[in-house]
Amino acid sequence: MSTATATALSERLPAYSLFAMILSGAGLPIYIYAPKFYADNFGVSLTALGAVLFGLRLFDVVQDPVLGWLSERLGDARRLAVWIGAALLAISMIGLFAVAPPFSPILWFGITITGLFTAFSFLSINFYAQGVGKADTIRGSHMRLAAWRETGALLGVCIAAVAPTLLADYVESPFAVFAYSFAIITILAAIAMLPEWRENVTSEPSPIREILSDKLARRLLILALVNAAPLAVSSTLFLFYVESRLNAPGMEGPLLVLFFLAAAASSPFWSWLAGKIGPKYALFIAMILAIASFAFVLTLGEGDTTAFAIICVVSGATIGADLTLMPALFAKRMAKISPNGGQGFGLWSLVSKFTLAFAAAALLPILEASGFSAGDANSAQALATLTYLYALVPCALKLIAVALLAATSLEEG
């Protein structure tokens, strides 16, 4: 065993990777699969699904800061609370994908996905807040912890994003198998992280107004909101784009693997590059590459699967920068202004989830209004709308993110 591996094990960094893996598996992939799953299997309209997801985010406006407030005050009860959260996460995933709706599918969708994302928020807030204190006790501080944590998160996204598609070739109910497997891994991850919850932060909680009054923290939250929106857009529409615009049904899984593996593989590179030229310039490079890749998608049409695969690799690599550097920058700022971190990461959780729900609420009704129908033959107008939403909207959002990053000094305060 190498010295580096032995050090990482002694610092329990693999436990952070595994826990990040299950959290990421319960986040982005659910937005990729859940709307299409309920539309295809239970006939729920895209507009109704988008409305439920957006309504849930309005609920999060209140819930996530409250969960952050609670996280800062758990004390010795943190371990039990995390176990309850992990159990709710596992049960909700099973209910969402493995249990036939016992009543109205849209109502069942709303109940199960509310439980899923409430647990996701609570666990994420505690996990990232715990990392603020953890980073001060290990070699390499926030960037090294972020490399382990976000690489695990990206691998979790990879596995969760592709598992249902790959399982479809071998089992009759791939989403049910995925849900039960996810539940088992969630319990294992909770066990692996068990020793970490003993190291509670002891500083006084910071009022949320103090966090929002900090110029750099506020800028980072706004930047995270805008910069994450393109991924939210492409994630929401990915399955529809591959199936209908590229006319490549069955390729969703391999293309998702390419996208998220590129993100995971690039994470150490972005951490290294940020150490060489600074996180701001590393993010600039990633944003410019993302804009170029989205712009190229505008030129694609039916049958251009190989070209789109290349785009998946390039754009996936840029996501590696977003998911590695942005949380590390925010965690570093929280360590300075709010060491407890709970309410700060409550806001961070809200921002990351809001982009996904806003994309679903804004784009799915537009797509349906254009005449688009999942799995059916669609008109040229509907396919053009799908392309513009999938590629042009992210380009515009990334340009705004570039401007915001340019106007932000990461060394403030």
Side-chain angles (χ1 to χ4, degrees), residues 23-173:
L23 287 178
S24 64
L28 186 60
I30 305 311
Y31 276 93
I32 295 175
Y33 279 115
K36 194 171 189 301
F37 178 79
Y38 273 76
D40 289 348
N41 290 279
F42 306 114
V44 181
S45 79
L46 296 180
T47 300
L49 291 166
V52 169
L53 290 171
F54 188 71
L56 181 56
R57 291 296 76 82
L58 294 179
F59 174 62
D60 284 336
V61 170
V62 176
Q63 173 185 254
D64 284 6
V66 170
L67 292 176
W69 178 90
L70 177 63
S71 170
E72 292 184 334
R73 290 159 175 82
L74 283 171
D76 292 336
R78 184 184 303 272
R79 183 186 299 174
L80 175 61
V82 167
W83 270 103
I84 293 172
L88 178 60
L89 187 73
I91 292 169
S92 298
M93 185 70 81
I94 291 171
L96 183 66
F97 286 123
V99 176
F103 39 78
S104 168
I106 188 64
L107 181 58
W108 182 250
F109 175 82
I111 291 171
T112 54
I113 209 162
T114 298
L116 184 76
F117 285 123
T118 295
F120 170 85
S121 292
F122 180 73
L123 293 174
S124 296
I125 290 165
N126 281 278
F127 180 58
Y128 278 87
Q130 194 72 31
V132 172
K134 180 71 173 182
D136 292 333
T137 67
I138 62 173
R139 178 176 57 84
S141 189
H142 293 282
M143 284 299 172
R144 181 161 172 260
L145 176 61
W148 276 87
R149 183 181 58 208
E150 307 310 329
T151 298
L154 288 165
L155 287 172
V157 171
C158 288
I159 294 169
V162 72
T165 302
L166 294 183
L167 286 170
D169 294 332
Y170 304 100
V171 297
E172 185 177 347
S173 303

Side-chain angles (χ1 to χ4, degrees), residues 46-413:
L46 296 180
T47 300
L49 291 166
V52 169
L53 290 171
F54 188 71
L56 181 56
R57 291 296 76 82
L58 294 179
F59 174 62
D60 284 336
V61 170
V62 176
Q63 173 185 254
D64 284 6
V66 170
L67 292 176
W69 178 90
L70 177 63
S71 170
E72 292 184 334
R73 290 159 175 82
L74 283 171
D76 292 336
R78 184 184 303 272
R79 183 186 299 174
L80 175 61
V82 167
W83 270 103
I84 293 172
L88 178 60
L89 187 73
I91 292 169
S92 298
M93 185 70 81
I94 291 171
L96 183 66
F97 286 123
V99 176
F103 39 78
S104 168
I106 188 64
L107 181 58
W108 182 250
F109 175 82
I111 291 171
T112 54
I113 209 162
T114 298
L116 184 76
F117 285 123
T118 295
F120 170 85
S121 292
F122 180 73
L123 293 174
S124 296
I125 290 165
N126 281 278
F127 180 58
Y128 278 87
Q130 194 72 31
V132 172
K134 180 71 173 182
D136 292 333
T137 67
I138 62 173
R139 178 176 57 84
S141 189
H142 293 282
M143 284 299 172
R144 181 161 172 260
L145 176 61
W148 276 87
R149 183 181 58 208
E150 307 310 329
T151 298
L154 288 165
L155 287 172
V157 171
C158 288
I159 294 169
V162 72
T165 302
L166 294 183
L167 286 170
D169 294 332
Y170 304 100
V171 297
E172 185 177 347
S173 303
F175 281 94
V177 174
F178 165 75
Y180 283 114
S181 300
F182 177 90
I184 293 170
I185 297 172
T186 296
I187 300 305
L188 294 176
I191 293 171
M193 274 292 290
L194 193 60
E196 290 298 294
W197 308 119
R198 295 174 182 169
E199 301 171 10
N200 293 322
V201 179
T202 57
S203 60
E204 288 297 315
S206 300
I208 198 168
R209 62 179 178 274
E210 290 187 10
I211 298 170
L212 291 175
S213 66
D214 181 78
K215 184 178 179 181
L216 180 53
R218 192 170 61 248
R219 280 286 186 91
L220 287 172
L221 286 167
I222 295 171
L223 178 59
L225 178 67
V226 177
N227 191 50
L231 176 60
V233 171
S234 59
S235 298
T236 300
L237 300 177
F238 186 91
L239 297 182
F240 301 114
Y241 181 85
V242 174
E243 180 183 60
S244 299
R245 187 68 188 99
L246 295 181
N247 193 24
M251 289 299 296
E252 298 93 341
L255 290 170
L256 281 171
V257 168
L258 281 176
F259 180 83
F260 287 117
L261 278 182
S266 71
S267 181
F269 167 77
W270 292 114
S271 295
W272 171 84
L273 186 62
K276 292 292 184 181
I277 65 175
K280 183 171 184 174
Y281 292 106
L283 282 169
F284 267 132
I285 292 172
M287 289 178 180
I288 292 169
L289 284 173
I291 292 169
S293 63
F294 280 122
F296 190 75
V297 171
L298 291 169
T299 68
L300 303 182
E302 182 175 336
D304 291 331
T305 308
T306 301
F308 185 70
I310 296 172
I311 293 301
C312 285
V313 172
V314 176
S315 60
T318 69
I319 296 304
D322 294 344
L323 299 184
T324 299
L325 302 183
M326 290 298 297
L329 288 171
F330 190 71
K332 183 178 180 181
R333 190 58 181 171
M334 287 299 99
K336 187 170 185 179
I337 68 171
S338 179
N340 248 310
Q343 295 204 72
F345 284 104
L347 293 170
W348 190 262
S349 174
L350 174 62
V351 163
S352 62
K353 291 192 302 179
F354 183 83
T355 58
L356 287 161
F358 181 80
L363 302 181
L364 293 179
I366 293 174
L367 189 59
E368 192 167 63
S370 73
F372 181 85
S373 179
D376 298 329
N378 288 284
S379 66
Q381 178 185 349
L383 294 177
T385 300
L386 174 60
T387 301
Y388 293 142
L389 293 177
Y390 182 84
L392 190 59
V393 171
C395 276
L397 291 168
K398 276 292 182 182
L399 286 170
I400 297 173
V402 168
L404 285 172
L405 181 59
T408 301
S409 172
L410 298 182
E411 289 75 36
E412 292 177 12

